[in-house]
Amino acid sequence: MIMTVEELNTIETSIKEEIKNTLVLIENYKALTKPIAPENAIGRISRMDAINNKTVNEAALRKAEQKLTNLKIALSNINDNDFGLCSKCKSPIPIGRILLMPHSRFCVNCAR
Ligand SMILES: [Zn+2]
């Protein structure tokens, strides 16, 4: 354990908050990626627009889902002895970075 209990509590609260936000985001993206109405209902051009937007939103949805997975992993790892250590170089990750990106398991250098 390289962090104080207070630091871990702060991080845990932050991760849970981030999970909540990400779940809302995922719901929004899911609503935006529903099947698109047929051409004769909304017109050809707006249907093409809708398909383009859908592709963008689907990519965003996948990203948000990936983030949620990582956040959950971070949350379950929080009591591990090596929590807060970079998965690659094993050097401590600054608490500011963990709070900013709790889903990242790498220090700034290794994340590049
Ligand atoms: Zn590293």
Side-chain angles (χ1 to χ4, degrees):
M1 187 87 69
I2 57 157
M3 274 181 251
T4 66
V5 175
E6 288 77 31
E7 282 175 327
L8 285 173
N9 281 338
T10 309
I11 292 166
E12 192 177 354
T13 309
S14 155
I15 293 176
K16 282 180 177 165
E17 193 61 35
E18 199 60 28
I19 286 178
K20 236 190 283 170
N21 294 342
T22 308
L23 280 171
V24 173
L25 216 68
I26 287 174
E27 283 314 305
N28 288 344
Y29 286 134
K30 274 187 179 162
L32 291 169
T33 53
K34 277 180 186 151
I36 296 162
E39 218 173 271
N40 55 12
I42 56 173
R44 189 165 184 269
I45 300 297
S46 46
R47 186 162 199 274
M48 273 160 59
D49 275 349
I51 289 170
N52 284 340
N53 290 338
K54 190 169 182 261
T55 307
V56 170
N57 289 323
E58 275 168 352
L61 174 64
R62 273 195 298 274
K63 228 172 141 186
E65 281 174 337
Q66 183 62 52
K67 188 179 176 187
L68 182 66
T69 306
N70 290 336
L71 284 167
K72 283 178 176 169
I73 292 170
L75 195 61
S76 63
N77 287 347
I78 207 162
N79 292 316
D80 288 358
N81 284 333
D82 59 351
F83 181 80
L85 294 180
C86 172
S87 290
K88 202 163 163 190
C89 69
K90 302 294 171 199
S91 59
I93 302 172
I95 186 163
R97 176 173 168 78
I98 296 174
L99 289 175
L100 199 69
M101 309 179 67
H103 54 287
S104 177
R105 293 175 297 119
F106 300 110
C107 71
V108 181
N109 288 329
C110 297
R112 276 195 199 129

